[in-house]
Amino acid sequence: MELVTGNLQGLKPSQRRLLERVHRRRVHPAQVVSWELASFLCDCSRDVERQVGVLIDRRGLVEHVVVGDAHKLVLPDLGRLRSGGGRLRGLRLVHTHLRAEPLTRDDLTDLAKLRLDLVAAIGMRPDGGAGTIACAHLLPENADGKLWRELPPSPAGAFLQESGLDFAALIRSLEEEFAACATAARITGDGRDRAMVVHVAGRSGEAEARVVELRELCRTAGLRVMDVVVQQRPQGPDPRTLLGKGKLEETVLRALQLDATLLVFDPELTPTQSRSIAEATELKVIDRTMLILDIFAQHASTRDGKLQVELAQLKYTLPRLVEKDTMMSRLTGGIGGRGPGETKLEINRRRARERIRNLEREIDELGRRRVGRRALRVSRRLPVVSIVGYTNAGKSTLLNTLTDGDVLVEDKLFATLDPTSRRLRFPLGGPSAPPSFGGGPGEREVILTDTVGFIRDLPRDLVAAFRATLEELAEADLLLHVVDAADPAHEAQIAAVERILRELEMDGKRRLLGL
């Protein structure tokens, strides 16, 4: 392990040796930093004219010495956090500020993202000595939503010699509070993954309805929503991070405080945005499209449905396949394979494309079989009524009510994924039914078909993959558009369904609107 890391370019051998001597210093476990170590760090900073910091463990031993520039430090990779609910990193950062400035945003971000025990900045006097010391530590989840507590800067002599701050006692108390919060979350939780929802709105009027819908999607997928972040960006989403670097950083820190395991973004992330956000956090990152695909994967029960979901997932994932790091760039070669070969990434992409082609062939074959079944139905001259509408609008409930059926009904989005057909026979209340409608004397018989629900901004790949299923709509004589009139956003939902029907070139079908 290197004794000194960071910005070492341009340092003289004597300066490197001076920095390496920092490792010899020891701090009492009850102290944040000793006067001796604080003074020595200031001497090093004055000599190299850069910030110098140390990461100290709870025994008071210096584990890392880091050199920055005049304004900030870049900390080394500290590895994974220690296990255990409510545990902090077990390291505190103490570093110099050449111009005696207070704790910076970078300092506080490092504190939160790395879950350091504490961060302290030693403000240097013009003569190079230790002037003031400013500290901050993390806070458990609280009503004010504060991520950390900053202690006011105080003269270094008073802080180190007269302060009543017992570092070891402070850390014990903090970890007990963090552990209590983690225990309470486990007791009140139900084993679901904890998610932070992030919505970037272009127009304020849509934000509330979309957030409600996103919450419902999370509930259907089995996620527990810990908090919601809504950002208005009239100028449009940030092309790199969707919501801007500063807001993303703030969101990640809030997620860490709430012990969230993933971030759910709306609208859909581009491949570039997905990569940039993933680089900024160790949390799992998904978007609305991926969430919908996951719900479809959970609810797919027939072979048709499973194949179509897998196809949509592969088409969504293919442009987002990237190398995690250079270690993934292994080459295939050897006997019969000399030359540059294929990288692991290229192999994954080729296999994904091959699987997409195979799935499309299977889906086409299943589609041809459905055409045969529909032809038999047409030969019997039975009219078909397809029930369409927004997801969770009550389509399956209507089908069960009219046909005394047993189609699965749940108060969840996309509970119905595979089309279901039932016969409906009802009296005409007059002379015998015309032959074209089937049924016995005085009766009329029709085929009622329940279809997958629609949703605004339905992912393109999902529409393409489910086109075979949605062919049922093309054969319908009448579309029964079911609307949940109790939903405040029902007008927007009607517009979304009409838009999707136009995309499917079925807006010319006869429709009956049922509120």
Side-chain angles (χ1 to χ4, degrees), residues 296-311:
F296 272 56
Q298 292 180 41
H299 292 175
S301 57
T302 67
R303 179 164 177 77
D304 283 19
K306 291 177 180 178
L307 291 177
Q308 289 168 152
V309 169
E310 185 182 356
L311 177 61

Side-chain angles (χ1 to χ4, degrees), residues 270-285:
T270 65
T272 299
Q273 290 168 342
S274 297
R275 288 192 292 271
S276 298
I277 295 171
E279 289 170 359
T281 176
E282 294 182 359
L283 300 174
K284 186 176 181 180
V285 177

Side-chain angles (χ1 to χ4, degrees), residues 95 112 126 363 382 426 454 511:
H95 67 299
I363 290 172
L382 292 177
F426 53 90
F454 296 153
R511 292 192 293 282

Side-chain angles (χ1 to χ4, degrees), residues 95 101-103 118-123 132-136 150-154 159:
H95 67 299
E101 60 266 39
L103 289 170
L118 178 140
V119 62
I122 306 170
T132 60
I133 293 183
C135 295
E150 293 185 61
L151 304 179
S154 59
F159 180 88

